[in-house]
Amino acid sequence: MSGQQRTRVDTVFDGIFDLILSGEIPLGGVVNEATLAERFKVSRGPVREAVKALQGRGLIVKEPYFKARVVDLDVKDMIEIFQLRESVEGMSVKLATRAMSDESMNRLLHDFEQAGGNGRVLDLHVRIAKECGNRRIESLLCDELYYLLRLYRARSGSTPGRHDNASAEHWQILRGMKSRDAELAESLMRAHIARATAALQRLLDTDTANANAPAPAQPRRERKESEA
Amino acid sequence: MSGQQRTRVDTVFDGIFDLILSGEIPLGGVVNEATLAERFKVSRGPVREAVKALQGRGLIVKEPYFKARVVDLDVKDMIEIFQLRESVEGMSVKLATRAMSDESMNRLLHDFEQAGGNGRVLDLHVRIAKECGNRRIESLLCDELYYLLRLYRARSGSTPGRHDNASAEHWQILRGMKSRDAELAESLMRAHIARATAALQRLLDTDTANANAPAPAQPRRERKESEA
DNA sequence: GGCTGTAAAAGTGTCAACACTATCAGCCAT
DNA sequence: ATGGCTGATAGTGTTGACACTTTTACAGCC
């Protein structure tokens, strides 16, 4: 009675996803149905459905009869995502602070003492989202936004100079959660993400300033997808 | 050639969507590919892709080799959606208050003076989401959550006794926006939605209380996935 | 009579071929 | 030579048929 039947669509979905995350298909790159079908040894049908699903998840953009392309994330997109995260993750940590059992809380704290800030930055955010008890918020954060974040960071490293502060802010949030002060934890989380947003905003400002003066910015011409 | 090419998948997508909204396919009802294909005079391929898209948007749930079903929203789902809305719409109105031009703001106020609270309740929320300048938030609210709300309300009328209060709260929010107090508008919006959430919570409590005590005939539910 | 195993039916998953649309190269007129 | 037109080419949209899985019905057995 094991449920997961893993149809070919799922396989192709994960396959394309990996190709995008690994950068084999670059951001903004073309997604060719026939090529992918041959690569995964399936017909074009499953590929089409997988692409449709990726499209629904926002990783691929496409218009009828036009080539599908991987989403091309710029700083402006990231700011929009961070504004959304600021609100949703605030709620996420508030709900988690109220919903988590004492043992879950202790386990969370223990894991992060162990890691000592080594783990990837998103780990705490994922962990909180999974504990908040609201499946829709969990899905929004874990299944949609965090993938886009990973995609963006894979291309252009996370904003410099943030990492040291971020770790301290994470510990503040954890302390707020431990003391069961849901509103405090929410405020801290929102401030935490708002600071990152501000960093992105500064990056955008300098970028546009640079883009205005020298103006070598070639419009992104079609990037050929290199086949392996 | 400028207009969207409207492929058959889009047509079928909208068609199924209308069938769900109109209740012709009830909540939790089965979505049969062959039947729909014949109804819309197309092959099963476009139907499959449309169903996949609906699935990505959360209106249809489905496991491999099992029949696809329209999502069955209960009060608990609605509470989760409202918790999400409380955070996101707070951000939405905050951003809109800052981003809207004076003329947009005046037009908004004028339209709602004209309507005098007649318009459907969601109109103001939609309007604000479309003005917030963050396309991702706009899409989340308008393209995902509001459809689910309409679906739920179509089945079980909105929580009674709320409408009169809601109108007053809407005007408060509008006044906050007009005075360009983004934080105030955010607080008012969050409180506005939190009150609706609380009403849903009370509904859930009485429901479960009733379900526990009398223990009436077995719910004739067809196989529903049970979550832990 | 109730239960189990098996076969038919219904429904979903996949495929390969065909139809339609956009893109690009080359040709003609200006 | 330049700009627009016209075919060839590549890629997407659609289809009907076939393979696999689940569900249902029925016969045999306890």
Side-chain angles (χ1 to χ4, degrees):
Chain A
M1 297 264 187
S2 56
Q4 288 85 340
Q5 192 69 18
R6 277 210 75 68
T7 172
R8 288 192 217 275
V9 178
D10 300 326
T11 310
V12 174
F13 182 96
D14 294 341
I16 299 178
F17 196 83
D18 286 344
L19 289 182
I20 295 176
L21 275 192
S22 71
E24 190 157 340
I25 306 179
L27 269 61
V30 175
V31 178
N32 185 312
E33 291 179 4
T35 306
L36 291 171
E38 191 188 351
R39 180 172 169 79
F40 294 112
K41 301 283 189 298
V42 295
S43 164
R44 272 181 49 220
V47 174
R48 281 181 63 80
E49 291 190 38
V51 168
K52 201 90 182 171
L54 266 324
Q55 189 185 351
R57 193 162 287 189
L59 275 90
I60 283 181
V61 292
K62 177 166 174 338
E63 286 177 85
Y65 291 107
F66 281 71
K67 309 171 198 240
R69 312 180 88 94
V70 178
V71 66
D72 195 359
L73 297 165
D74 57 14
V75 184
K76 196 164 180 318
D77 292 317
M78 273 302 121
I79 291 177
E80 295 196 343
I81 290 175
F82 271 61
Q83 287 175 337
L84 179 54
R85 279 184 64 204
E86 179 184 327
S87 57
V88 177
E89 292 211 39
M91 180 62 73
S92 168
V93 75
K94 182 163 83 173
L95 294 175
T97 301
R98 290 182 183 144
M100 284 175 75
S101 68
D102 285 342
E103 46 193 346
S104 292
M105 188 73 81
N106 285 331
R107 221 178 314 132
L108 176 64
L109 288 165
H110 176 266
D111 290 351
F112 272 82
E113 276 168 11
Q114 206 91 5
N118 271 349
R120 286 208 318 283
V121 188
L122 273 183
D123 282 352
L124 174 62
H125 296 265
V126 171
R127 197 63 185 277
I128 291 173
K130 286 192 182 307
E131 298 278 5
C132 78
N134 183 320
R135 285 165 311 181
R136 199 163 289 270
I137 288 178
E138 177 190 338
S139 170
L140 173 62
L141 292 175
C142 296
D143 298 338
E144 296 185 39
L145 298 183
Y146 292 157
Y147 286 141
L148 294 173
L149 281 181
R150 281 164 63 189
L151 217 55
Y152 180 77
R153 289 193 178 151
R155 193 188 69 165
S156 60
S158 63
T159 53
R162 277 282 306 154
H163 196 279
D164 1 320
N165 292 344
S167 186
E169 290 166 17
H170 282 167
W171 281 112
Q172 280 189 317
I173 294 169
L174 281 168
R175 275 197 296 273
M177 293 176 72
K178 185 192 172 80
S179 63
R180 298 289 184 182
D181 191 334
E183 272 73 19
L184 174 62
E186 178 179 18
S187 295
L188 290 170
M189 178 63 86
R190 293 189 61 145
H192 169 56
I193 298 179
R195 269 189 281 274
T197 311
L200 284 171
Q201 186 67 52
R202 282 193 298 276
L203 187 63
L204 175 63
D205 292 342
T206 58
D207 270 12
T208 50
N210 286 356
N212 280 351
Q218 278 193 4
R220 197 169 277 103
R221 209 59 240 170
E222 172 157 342
R223 253 173 294 181
K224 192 79 170 72
E225 176 196 349
S226 48
E227 246 289 80
Chain B
M1 61 183 73
S2 55
Q4 280 86 346
Q5 193 69 14
R6 276 207 76 67
T7 171
R8 294 207 212 288
V9 179
D10 299 325
T11 309
V12 174
F13 182 96
D14 295 341
I16 298 177
F17 196 83
D18 286 343
L19 289 183
I20 296 176
L21 275 193
S22 71
E24 189 157 342
I25 306 179
L27 269 61
V30 175
V31 177
N32 185 311
E33 293 179 2
T35 306
L36 291 171
E38 193 191 349
R39 190 186 212 302
F40 294 113
K41 300 282 189 298
V42 295
S43 165
R44 270 182 50 222
V47 174
R48 281 182 62 81
E49 292 190 38
V51 169
K52 200 89 184 172
L54 267 323
Q55 189 184 352
R57 193 161 286 189
L59 276 90
I60 284 181
V61 293
K62 176 167 176 334
E63 286 178 84
Y65 290 107
F66 281 71
K67 309 172 201 244
R69 311 181 89 93
V70 178
V71 66
D72 194 0
L73 297 165
D74 57 14
V75 184
K76 196 165 180 317
D77 292 316
M78 273 302 122
I79 290 178
E80 295 196 343
I81 290 176
F82 270 62
Q83 287 174 339
L84 179 54
R85 279 184 65 203
E86 177 183 330
S87 57
V88 176
E89 292 212 38
M91 180 61 74
S92 169
V93 74
K94 182 162 83 174
L95 293 175
T97 302
R98 287 183 184 144
M100 284 175 75
S101 66
D102 286 341
E103 46 191 346
S104 292
M105 188 73 81
N106 285 331
R107 221 178 313 134
L108 176 64
L109 288 166
H110 176 266
D111 289 352
F112 272 81
E113 276 170 11
Q114 207 91 7
N118 270 350
R120 291 198 43 72
V121 188
L122 273 182
D123 283 351
L124 174 62
H125 297 264
V126 170
R127 199 59 188 278
I128 292 173
K130 287 194 181 304
E131 298 277 5
C132 78
N134 184 321
R135 287 162 310 180
R136 198 163 289 271
I137 289 179
E138 176 190 338
S139 170
L140 172 63
L141 292 175
C142 297
D143 298 338
E144 296 184 39
L145 299 184
Y146 292 157
Y147 286 142
L148 295 173
L149 281 182
R150 280 164 63 188
L151 218 54
Y152 179 78
R153 289 191 178 154
R155 193 189 69 166
S156 60
S158 63
T159 53
R162 277 283 305 152
H163 196 280
D164 3 317
N165 293 342
S167 185
E169 292 166 17
H170 282 167
W171 281 111
Q172 280 189 318
I173 293 169
L174 282 168
R175 274 197 295 274
M177 293 177 73
K178 185 193 173 79
S179 63
R180 298 289 183 182
D181 191 336
E183 272 73 18
L184 174 62
E186 178 178 18
S187 295
L188 291 171
M189 177 64 86
R190 293 190 62 147
H192 169 55
I193 298 179
R195 268 189 281 273
T197 311
L200 284 171
Q201 186 67 51
R202 282 193 298 275
L203 188 62
L204 174 64
D205 292 342
T206 58
D207 270 11
T208 51
N210 286 355
N212 281 349
Q218 285 208 353
R220 194 141 295 145
R221 286 278 161 70
E222 300 198 56
R223 216 136 275 157
K224 278 198 58 171
E225 76 279 28
S226 45
E227 292 287 306

